[in-house]
Amino acid sequence: MSTATESTATGDLDSATVRRLVRIRELGPGDGDVVDVVFAGLSARSRYLRFQHPVTELSAATRRSLTAWDGRTHVALAAFVQGRPIGIVRILDIGDGRAELAVEVVDRWQGCGVGTRLLLAARDRAARMGYHELVGEMLVVNAAVHAALRRVFPGTRVRRDGSELTITMPVRGEQATANPGEGLVA
């Protein structure tokens, strides 16, 4: 589901600086290169945590799947700093008012609140789309992302199956009220 946090050179940025630097926008046709740039910024460990198995490169089929945004049943929002993509969150319809959630943040920007900003944006977008629940699967060892999800989505439910967690997050109808950068790590 998500990448882990690691100590980075950008890890000492305060929340106000992150809010000022990071811009989030919805992806559309012609934005496929954003997926490539973010994937290239993930370490082997982050790729493993995101895809739940070792991935050295995106297959053509996986890339097509990750870039099949239609704005209705598959939405992707990306975080940018000075025009360079640093993270993506996806909302993928799975029926019955539910959608799958997946997020990744390039290693250099992990631990700065970028993932949290993306999660808050996804929560707001999912609410506007009419979803009542988001679901994600992640590895048990991805504790930092698990904690961020619990902060962004009050009422999160967790089911463990071996080394994997299924996280079910209620989407409230209100817009984000939490400050996306203060004290949150993603």
Side-chain angles (χ1 to χ4, degrees):
M1 162 170 214
S2 309
T3 59
T5 60
E6 295 179 15
S7 178
T8 66
T10 55
D12 60 350
L13 293 176
D14 64 24
S15 60
T17 301
V18 171
R19 278 193 310 277
R20 190 178 81 253
L21 291 175
V22 175
R23 299 289 175 251
I24 296 176
R25 72 167 172 85
E26 188 164 328
L27 299 178
D31 282 330
D33 60 325
V34 172
V35 170
D36 300 326
V37 172
V38 170
F39 184 82
L42 300 176
S43 66
R45 177 166 169 69
S46 291
R47 290 175 184 177
Y48 175 76
L49 291 172
R50 166 59 178 93
F51 295 99
Q52 299 181 11
H53 63 275
V55 178
T56 56
E57 63 183 47
L58 290 176
S59 69
T62 299
R63 189 177 185 284
R64 271 193 306 279
S65 164
L66 293 175
T67 59
W69 314 300
D70 63 11
R72 294 180 328 279
T73 62
H74 185 179
V75 171
L77 306 170
F80 295 83
V81 171
Q82 297 178 339
R84 182 158 178 82
I86 61 169
I88 300 173
V89 65
R90 290 176 186 76
I91 304 166
L92 184 62
D93 184 79
I94 56 175
D96 296 325
R98 301 172 75 220
E100 181 180 338
L101 179 72
V103 62
E104 60 258 8
V105 175
V106 301
D107 284 41
R108 182 170 177 244
W109 283 90
Q110 291 175 17
C112 300
V114 173
T116 298
R117 295 235 4 238
L118 284 166
L119 291 171
L120 286 165
R123 184 185 70 188
D124 292 349
R125 183 67 165 96
R128 287 193 306 274
M129 294 171 73
Y131 290 111
H132 63 83
E133 212 167 57
L134 296 174
V135 179
E137 293 181 354
M138 62 186 288
L139 295 174
V140 170
V141 297
N142 209 343
V145 173
H146 184 195
L149 289 170
R150 285 188 172 280
R151 286 189 297 264
V152 172
F153 295 96
T156 293
R157 297 183 315 274
V158 179
R159 188 182 82 235
R160 183 175 178 162
D161 183 14
S163 64
E164 294 183 8
L165 299 176
T166 299
I167 313 285
T168 304
M169 301 152 278
V171 177
R172 310 258 189 256
E174 70 273 2
Q175 296 292 306
T177 55
N179 186 338
E182 289 191 2
L184 301 179
V185 177

